Amino acid sequence: MPITLLWAVDVYGRVYSLSTAGQRWVRADDTLLELKRVTAGKGRCWGIGCDHHVYLNMMPSETSIRYREETYENQRWNPVDSFTDTLLPTDRWPWSDVTGMNPQPLHGFELPSRSWEWEGDWYVDQSCGEPSQTGGWEYAVDFPANFSPDKKWNSCVRRRRWIRYRRYTAQGTWAKIPLDNPRKPLLPLCDISCGGWEMSDQSGRYPYLWGVSQQGEVWFREGIHPRVPEGSGWEEVEAPKEVAQLSAGPGDLLWALLWDGNLLVRTGLSLDCPTGTSWVELESPGKEIEALHVAVGVSVVWVVTKDYKVWFRRGVNSHNPCGSGWISIGGEMMVVDVGLNEQVWAVGEDRGLYFRMGVTPSEPSGSGWIPVSAQWRNSKEVIPPGKECEFGDRRAEASKSSLLSCTDSDSESGPADAQNGPEDLPVLGAAASSVVPLGGNDSPTPPPKMENPPSALQQDAPKPFIPASDSFINSLVSDRDKTSTPQPPVAEAPREEVQELSPAPILPTPEAAGHDVPWMNVDLEGAEAARCARAAGGPPPGAAGALETARGVGEEDAPVWSWISGGGCDVDACSQISWLSPTGPLSSSLSLTAVQSAAWSEQPRQQEGRGEISKKPLERSHSVWVRKGALRWWRDGKPQRWVDVAVALEQSTKSGGTKDSIFFVYYTQYDEKKYLDVIIRDVTALVPVSADCHYAFAVYTAQRTQQRWPLVLAAQTQTDMNDWLSLLSDCCCECRGISGPPSRQALWSTTSKGDIMVHEPSFSLEAAAHTLACDLMFWRQVPGHLRCVESNSLGLVWGIGWDGTAWVYSGQQPTLEEAVERHQQTDVRSVHVYENQRWNPMTGYTDKGLPTDRPMWSDEGGLKECTKGNTHPPSPQWSWVSEWAVDYSVPGGTDQEGWQYAADFPTTFHGHKAMKDFVRRRRWTRKCTIALRAPWQQVPPICLSDISLMPCLAQSSMEQVPVWALSDKGEVLCRLGVTPRNAAGSSWLHVGTDQPFKSISIGGANQVWAIARDGEVFYRGSVCPQNPAGECWYHIPSPPRQTLRQLSVGRTSVFAVDDNSNLWFRQGLTPSYPQGSAWELTSNNVTKVSVGPLDQVWIIAEGVPGFPAETPGAVCHRLGVGPMQPRGQSWDYGIGGGWEHISVRGNSAEAPRGPHPAHVGAPRSPVPPRPPAQVNGSAVGV
């Protein structure tokens, strides 16, 4: 790792650097240099002097900085003098630049500053042709034409280039940047910030420099180049309000702090437009507390407010420079700075330097503050913040004064220590002839009388202070000065009522020092007050109480820091730096204040000899965790195509342990950076989808569910997709407080891909007054792959794969000692394509169809072209296990070659050819398989086509749970021995039938209904626990001219779906006549129905009205179902797009109901009162 420097400034304007390979602070060689603040970049550091000039310190390097000056000598030929510098009036200048527009005589070149020197004299560039022949001349017909070293007969003009090099000689020293002459005079600067060297893909580019004038104007330094490190000039950038401070990141982030405490964000920064395009104003993170300081990095923003609280901005990115929200971070700081690798440095309220530990790309907020503990000068004494905290809050309170005070201070006078005399303390003063108070009278302030008591003297004395290196912080914290109360050091806390605090120390005067002292950047008002107080014979207002040493606070004392810059310090969370030790005097997770720091500094002495020091965190700070990656996004708008995007999942953890996450998608459209953000708690489902051989998944929210347009993302590999799905799903469950396996009341569903989804219901799911909207339901994925799933409220869950294999969920009740046991689960399914042909009189059946026909190779509906070559398995998880073959088991039958015939394509196909059959098709099939590990246990050996578990209430108890199923051959089976502890049961009991069945369902009170393959409906009589198989089948007429295909039986209701996707309700069901009386049409657009133990009705709809392009299969809930309205009233459409099956037969969670109010007075009707009716299993008055 290269050796880099950390820069810092103390309150006296002295500049120090700390090497990553060293152990002690090194002061700048120029002892006369006094800077207010610095900003560092790679290989350089800028600073603002107390004279308001800008200084630059370029780090020494093996390669010198050289700049080539060049100018062109132009001549024209004439018949008398040949080539001469006498040009035509319309020609360019005799000495000019390469364009000829600007005159550049040799004597017009000057060095830009004293930091440059000429390496030699001007010489002719001899790179064109042979030097002895051409003399460096280039010839052309005329000046705008192209030049060449060859002289021709028509060469009327010529030019040659003169070169001179200048070298930068100020490397390793602080050089003053010369003032240029902009169109608008540059006012004195009060803040600067460099950044932009990592903008876009131009890594290593020289930085841009931004500045703020004392009038709040924003300036940009132009012309900074590898050969011109100083830049060429200043350009003003218009700002809507007066700016107090700004910070530029290494990338394209620029934030500014306004004098009113709000923040400005510069947008549109790019290589083509380095000054940006517009400003966006943001409010301060603290409520009614103005911001004090801002610092930005590549994708992070840190802010300090006037109460010294530290804040972290969430969601900041090049595509979203404004971010999305604020997170409070532990620690009390005055200044923060973001350096390389997003590392954070700070100046604490106690004037100590701190480093944010644990800052990584995945955790940009870090884990805690640790001190920068480096040695001072040649001594081996380490100066952690704890030593500086011995000043207590007196130093922190004193630090609010300005080093260069431009306005009079209105702060109250601080207390003085009456026990310390002037002879015991160093004093601060200045020669009377050199001290002129700003804004004061010419005559000094009359000294107080000696007969006044010390308390009166202390009240009249000005407030003690330690000079700060900039008046900016002083002005911003002036509100706090008036309201805050100084706190005593921890060691003096018990004596707070009887012992007054000593004021801060002050420097010795030049006379006392005994030698000439350079002009110091000292608050003149405070110096005058100190001199007056000393002349009065009382203790000086700057006397030190806690730091009583033989030296005064000056060159020999540890610095009192006011500014830090880590923009050039290349460290990270894994760096092994001697002065960044997490085992120092502070815990890695502390929230630091001056009092806490003093307590830590005293703790080793208090616990000396008593064993290890206990470092418990004083305050748990918030943290931010980020996971970044690259995915592909299916663009919502036109043109719809896959776009490479960057994604980031940002999770913040508050002090209480609650977590909040946001998912960002960053993309570029027409060279404009944009982003999408999804709040994780708003996510309703994460569903793997089929998308052109991509490992894709869809992110649903309530809004996107209503719009029927999920956020579809794809990964490069299956592992990446699984990682992102698992990560996002875990965050969603954490935000909603969901953990562990699905509950017994869960709703189960499967998608057309075979993924298993689960929803944890709430009591409001079926509440009549406050029904939970379907688009707000949160679905999470359960490992496994099935075609359909059925459950009940006792925790039993059965499923059937696409190959007919029966599975039982084994992850319902894992033990505490072991995780959910996962078994090897395999599934096999068939993929179909259809070959279509049309008959013509000349050639018979051929693959040449009409222009209006479907594709000759298509899917079943004929809307999409599907050939055997471009058809792939449902997802990349599947793999082929067979070749394409003709399928003869198509519904409706086929001929010997597998063809089905029809009069035209949209009509029904049959297996024999008729005279009017002009089209035909046949189905090709190919098998694929999938294998994974999931908490499902196989139930051999019979393959099933349908299954049903008897629904019951949660408080019910049954020795054996009735389970009915259909084999793949249509046989009716009853599973014996099924209990909550033995979900798989023991054996199958065959129930005799006259024909094969295709759907079966068992409801409350052992009501068993089934549908035969010809569409006829049957009811099984006399089913009871003593006779689980029943006695006989009762035939029930189907709806007129309709063929039913699937049904579901609840507690007191029966619903069925026919081949035309119509939903039917069976009327007249009573305990005495359970077969009912008639079928009533309820709705259309239904593919599957599920009736729960509370008679709730849920379906899988073919589509959502108004969205014909959506993939068939949407979850819907029937609203208004009740005893008086068993058919319900309307549909509530939920998540959709490829959902295959749903089961609500385990959801018996009823909404809590209050007691029915008692009737007052006599009844109005002679009819006797009716008993309370049962609504969803709960008795209420009607």
Side-chain angles (χ1 to χ4, degrees):
M1 186 177 67
I3 299 176
T4 54
L5 298 179
L6 173 68
W7 295 87
V9 180
D10 68 0
V11 295
Y12 299 100
R14 298 190 292 253
V15 183
Y16 300 87
S17 61
L18 181 59
S19 172
T20 54
Q23 296 182 356
R24 59 174 54 89
W25 288 99
V26 178
R27 186 182 174 186
D29 296 335
D30 188 356
T31 58
L32 298 179
L33 177 69
E34 294 182 355
L35 299 182
K36 296 192 294 182
R37 56 183 61 183
V38 294
T39 174
K42 286 188 174 181
R44 70 197 57 225
C45 185
W46 301 78
I48 297 181
C50 296
D51 55 358
H52 302 292
H53 281 275
V54 179
Y55 292 81
L56 172 63
N57 189 330
M58 293 293 300
M59 301 297 105
S61 63
E62 297 179 356
T63 304
S64 61
I65 300 176
R66 302 170 69 239
Y67 184 78
R68 185 179 66 186
E69 297 282 9
E70 61 180 30
T71 185
Y72 285 82
E73 181 184 2
N74 307 306
Q75 292 186 355
R76 176 176 286 277
W77 180 89
N78 65 64
V80 178
D81 301 323
S82 185
F83 283 99
T84 178
D85 57 358
T86 303
L87 305 179
L88 298 178
T90 57
D91 282 342
R92 60 183 61 185
W93 302 87
W95 294 87
S96 69
D97 59 0
V98 67
T99 64
M101 302 299 294
N102 302 314
Q104 291 186 170
L106 294 180
H107 59 80
F109 288 87
E110 297 179 356
L111 294 174
S113 67
R114 297 180 180 179
S115 303
W116 295 87
E117 67 177 10
W118 295 111
E119 288 190 347
D121 203 354
W122 290 97
Y123 66 91
V124 177
D125 183 12
Q126 302 285 349
S127 60
C128 297
E130 295 294 333
S132 60
Q133 297 179 2
T134 64
W137 291 104
E138 294 178 304
Y139 298 87
V141 177
D142 205 351
F143 281 116
N146 295 326
F147 287 84
S148 68
D150 298 328
K151 182 181 178 181
K152 301 179 181 179
W153 65 271
N154 59 349
S155 298
C156 298
V157 296
R158 68 178 182 178
R159 72 176 185 182
R160 61 179 175 181
R161 182 170 61 177
W162 291 75
I163 295 176
R164 190 180 189 184
Y165 283 92
R166 53 183 167 92
R167 181 168 54 89
Y168 188 77
T169 61
Q171 287 182 289
T173 62
W174 287 95
K176 181 184 295 187
I177 303 300
L179 295 177
D180 49 67
N181 297 316
R183 291 184 297 269
K184 182 178 179 180
L186 177 66
L187 297 175
L189 298 180
C190 65
D191 186 49
I192 56 174
S193 180
C194 67
W197 60 82
E198 293 183 2
M199 186 177 294
S200 185
D201 56 349
Q202 302 293 327
S203 180
R205 185 181 176 91
Y206 268 56
Y208 301 123
L209 183 66
W210 295 80
V212 177
S213 68
Q214 290 186 346
Q215 300 299 324
E217 300 167 339
V218 179
W219 294 83
F220 175 77
R221 186 71 177 176
E222 297 177 318
I224 297 180
H225 188 268
R227 301 301 179 186
V228 188
E230 299 170 315
S232 58
W234 291 97
E235 175 189 356
E236 185 181 5
V237 178
E238 295 292 337
K241 296 182 180 180
E242 294 185 359
V243 176
Q245 181 252 334
L246 53 71
S247 177
D252 51 3
L253 290 183
L254 177 68
W255 281 52
L257 175 66
L258 299 176
W259 282 103
D260 59 7
N262 287 343
L263 299 162
L264 281 181
V265 183
R266 190 66 173 173
T267 60
L269 293 173
S270 64
L271 290 175
D272 299 329
C273 185
T275 58
T277 56
S278 61
W279 294 97
V280 178
E281 184 173 357
L282 299 177
E283 294 183 355
S284 173
K287 296 181 179 179
E288 301 180 356
I289 300 178
E290 300 174 0
L292 173 65
H293 187 82
V294 62
V296 304
V298 176
S299 58
V300 296
V301 174
W302 294 72
V303 168
V304 178
T305 51
K306 283 190 175 181
D307 56 355
Y308 297 154
K309 299 300 182 184
V310 184
W311 299 82
F312 177 85
R313 185 69 175 177
R314 298 183 56 187
V316 176
N317 187 275
S318 174
H319 299 254
N320 180 24
C322 296
S324 58
W326 294 103
I327 297 296
S328 178
I329 302 296
E332 294 190 359
M333 304 294 168
M334 296 184 64
V335 175
V336 292
D337 184 75
V338 180
L340 300 179
N341 307 318
E342 309 286 39
Q343 302 303 306
V344 183
W345 311 83
V347 178
E349 189 182 13
D350 58 351
R351 292 295 181 174
L353 298 185
Y354 295 95
F355 173 72
R356 187 70 178 175
M357 192 178 66
V359 175
T360 61
S362 61
E363 191 172 356
S365 64
S367 57
W369 298 101
I370 59 175
V372 178
S373 303
Q375 298 178 9
W376 166 238
R377 299 183 66 83
N378 295 327
S379 65
K380 296 184 178 180
E381 179 185 4
V382 178
I383 50 170
K387 178 176 180 179
E388 299 173 7
C389 287
E390 293 178 0
F391 285 98
D393 274 340
R394 291 164 294 174
R395 172 173 290 184
E397 185 71 21
S399 64
K400 299 169 186 175
S401 299
S402 171
L403 179 69
L404 189 64
S405 179
C406 298
T407 58
D408 293 340
S409 174
D410 58 353
S411 59
E412 299 177 358
S413 60
D417 192 348
Q419 299 178 1
N420 296 327
E423 65 276 8
D424 299 330
L425 301 172
V427 295
L428 171 65
S433 60
S434 64
V435 177
V436 180
L438 296 178
N441 300 327
D442 295 338
S443 59
T445 304
K449 298 179 180 180
M450 291 302 298
E451 59 269 21
N452 292 341
S455 60
L457 176 62
Q458 296 167 6
Q459 293 176 0
D460 296 336
K463 182 180 179 179
F465 67 95
I466 288 181
S469 68
D470 196 1
S471 59
F472 161 64
I473 297 179
N474 212 27
S475 303
L476 290 182
V477 301
S478 58
D479 295 342
R480 185 179 178 186
D481 291 343
K482 301 176 183 180
T483 58
S484 61
T485 302
Q487 296 176 343
V490 173
E492 299 182 4
R495 303 173 59 184
E496 180 179 2
E497 299 180 358
V498 297
Q499 182 177 358
E500 296 181 350
L501 299 177
S502 301
I506 50 181
L507 287 174
T509 62
E511 293 82 0
H515 56 83
D516 293 337
V517 178
W519 179 82
M520 302 295 292
N521 194 8
V522 176
D523 192 306
L524 302 181
E525 179 187 0
E528 179 69 13
R531 187 175 66 255
C532 296
R534 184 179 51 177
L547 187 64
E548 297 179 346
T549 61
R551 302 186 306 266
V553 179
E555 187 69 25
E556 301 300 328
D557 288 301
V560 182
W561 304 110
S562 67
W563 198 264
I564 189 171
S565 179
C569 189
D570 190 6
V571 301
D572 54 35
C574 301
S575 300
Q576 300 295 329
I577 307 297
S578 59
W579 40 268
L580 288 180
S581 175
T583 60
L586 296 175
S587 173
S588 62
S589 59
L590 294 182
S591 173
L592 301 175
T593 63
V595 175
Q596 293 167 352
S597 301
W600 277 107
S601 64
E602 294 293 337
Q603 191 175 16
R605 290 190 292 269
Q606 295 174 1
Q607 297 188 357
E608 185 177 0
R610 291 187 295 175
E612 187 100 10
I613 299 175
S614 175
K615 297 185 178 70
K616 296 182 179 180
L618 300 179
E619 178 182 341
R620 181 183 178 87
S621 63
H622 298 184
S623 62
V624 177
W625 177 87
V626 177
R627 164 73 183 275
K628 298 180 180 180
L631 297 175
R632 305 196 74 192
W633 167 55
W634 181 252
R635 188 192 297 275
D636 293 355
K638 295 181 179 179
Q640 294 184 357
R641 58 185 178 87
W642 288 104
V643 179
D644 293 329
V645 297
V647 296
L649 175 62
E650 185 178 284
Q651 183 181 78
S652 65
T653 304
K654 299 181 180 180
S655 57
T658 59
K659 297 182 179 181
D660 185 17
S661 305
I662 303 178
F663 184 65
F664 295 93
V665 178
Y666 303 106
Y667 66 99
T668 303
Q669 183 177 7
Y670 304 117
D671 296 331
E672 182 181 358
K673 295 180 179 180
K674 299 183 178 181
Y675 74 98
L676 302 172
D677 60 331
V678 179
I679 301 177
I680 292 298
R681 63 172 171 268
D682 294 339
V683 173
T684 56
L686 299 164
V687 186
V689 295
S690 301
D692 302 333
C693 295
H694 286 82
Y695 299 94
F697 62 94
V699 181
Y700 286 86
T701 63
Q703 182 180 4
R704 288 184 172 270
T705 300
Q706 296 172 2
Q707 298 173 352
R708 302 293 150 183
W709 204 270
L711 178 66
V712 180
L713 300 170
Q716 295 293 333
T717 63
Q718 179 69 35
T719 303
D720 291 344
M721 187 191 75
N722 292 338
D723 290 345
W724 277 106
L725 276 177
S726 177
L727 183 62
L728 292 173
S729 179
D730 291 343
C731 290
C732 292
C733 292
E734 287 179 354
C735 292
R736 298 174 179 268
I738 300 175
S739 61
S743 66
R744 297 183 176 184
Q745 309 291 325
L747 277 68
W748 293 74
S749 183
T750 58
T751 66
S752 56
K753 287 178 74 277
D755 297 302
I756 307 169
M757 311 299 295
V758 172
H759 168 71
E760 295 293 341
S762 61
F763 288 119
S764 61
L765 184 61
E766 300 294 339
H770 305 284
T771 304
L772 178 65
C774 273
D775 51 28
L776 297 177
M777 297 173 60
F778 172 68
W779 296 89
R780 58 170 173 155
Q781 187 176 2
V782 173
H785 191 278
L786 297 171
R787 178 177 60 84
C788 66
V789 179
E790 287 292 332
S791 65
N792 74 350
S793 57
L794 297 180
L796 302 178
V797 183
W798 281 61
I800 301 176
W802 289 90
D803 56 358
T805 305
W807 301 86
V808 174
Y809 185 64
S810 59
Q812 193 65 258
Q813 295 178 345
T815 61
L816 298 178
E817 292 79 10
E818 57 183 1
V820 176
E821 183 180 1
R822 298 198 175 192
H823 309 274
Q824 183 72 20
Q825 185 180 23
T826 60
D827 200 359
V828 179
R829 67 181 301 179
S830 299
V831 178
H832 307 296
V833 296
Y834 286 82
E835 180 185 3
N836 307 305
Q837 291 185 356
R838 177 174 285 278
W839 180 87
N840 70 63
M842 301 297 296
T843 59
Y845 285 102
T846 178
D847 57 0
K848 305 297 182 182
L850 298 177
T852 57
D853 281 344
R854 63 181 60 185
M856 292 298 100
W857 289 88
S858 69
D859 58 358
E860 183 177 4
L863 300 177
K864 181 180 179 182
E865 183 178 7
C866 299
T867 65
K868 291 190 291 185
N870 65 9
T871 301
H872 304 281
S875 71
Q877 293 177 280
W878 294 81
S879 58
W880 296 117
V881 293
S882 68
E883 297 298 329
W884 290 103
V886 177
D887 188 3
Y888 297 95
S889 59
V890 183
T894 65
D895 63 5
Q896 294 181 354
E897 297 181 353
W899 293 102
Q900 290 182 309
Y901 300 86
D904 206 351
F905 282 119
T907 58
T908 304
F909 286 84
H910 44 267
H912 60 279
K913 184 181 182 306
M915 182 176 292
K916 294 183 180 182
D917 291 337
F918 296 100
V919 296
R920 68 177 183 177
R921 72 175 186 182
R922 62 178 172 182
R923 187 169 74 178
W924 292 77
T925 184
R926 191 178 185 183
K927 292 185 178 181
C928 56
T929 184
I930 186 176
L932 68 163
R933 299 195 65 82
W936 296 89
Q937 182 180 356
Q938 185 177 356
V939 182
I942 302 176
C943 294
L944 305 180
S945 62
D946 195 14
I947 195 169
S948 179
L949 285 70
M950 191 179 83
C952 59
L953 299 179
Q955 61 272 20
S956 301
S957 60
M958 287 185 282
E959 295 182 359
Q960 292 192 3
V961 181
V963 177
W964 289 68
L966 299 178
S967 69
D968 57 350
K969 298 179 181 180
E971 300 171 335
V972 179
L973 305 172
C974 178
R975 189 68 174 177
L976 302 179
V978 177
T979 64
R981 294 186 175 275
N982 183 21
S986 56
S987 61
W988 289 107
L989 175 63
H990 184 270
V991 180
T993 58
D994 296 336
Q995 56 181 321
F997 284 14
K998 61 181 178 181
S999 179
I1000 194 168
S1001 178
I1002 179 172
N1006 292 282
Q1007 304 175 71
V1008 179
W1009 292 62
I1011 300 178
R1013 290 187 176 177
D1014 59 1
E1016 296 296 327
V1017 183
F1018 293 89
Y1019 172 80
R1020 186 69 174 177
S1022 303
V1023 178
C1024 61
Q1026 294 75 21
N1027 186 15
E1031 293 183 355
C1032 61
W1033 293 101
Y1034 296 92
H1035 177 264
I1036 298 176
S1038 301
R1041 298 181 299 277
Q1042 300 295 333
T1043 301
L1044 299 181
R1045 66 182 182 194
Q1046 186 256 337
L1047 55 75
S1048 181
V1049 184
R1051 184 173 57 181
T1052 60
S1053 59
V1054 177
F1055 285 83
V1057 181
D1058 63 18
D1059 289 339
N1060 295 323
S1061 301
N1062 296 318
L1063 181 64
W1064 298 85
F1065 169 71
R1066 187 65 176 176
Q1067 294 180 339
L1069 268 70
T1070 62
S1072 59
Y1073 192 68
Q1075 296 88 344
S1077 57
W1079 293 101
E1080 182 180 358
L1081 180 63
T1082 300
S1083 178
N1084 56 5
N1085 189 35
V1086 179
T1087 59
K1088 292 285 182 66
V1089 62
S1090 179
V1091 183
L1094 306 179
D1095 285 335
Q1096 63 268 45
V1097 180
W1098 292 70
I1099 64 167
I1100 298 295
E1102 282 190 341
V1104 179
F1107 299 92
E1110 185 183 29
T1111 305
V1115 176
C1116 297
H1117 179 206
R1118 188 68 173 174
L1119 302 179
V1121 176
M1124 304 303 297
Q1125 189 73 22
R1127 296 172 54 249
Q1129 299 175 351
S1130 60
W1131 292 110
D1132 180 20
Y1133 289 88
I1135 190 171
W1139 291 66
E1140 181 77 15
H1141 182 86
I1142 189 171
S1143 175
V1144 298
R1145 299 171 67 80
N1147 179 26
S1148 61
E1150 298 180 279
R1153 305 173 185 271
H1156 188 70
H1159 180 72
V1160 179
R1164 298 183 180 181
S1165 172
V1167 180
R1170 295 176 295 174
Q1174 295 286 332
V1175 179
N1176 291 343
S1178 180
V1180 298
V1182 179

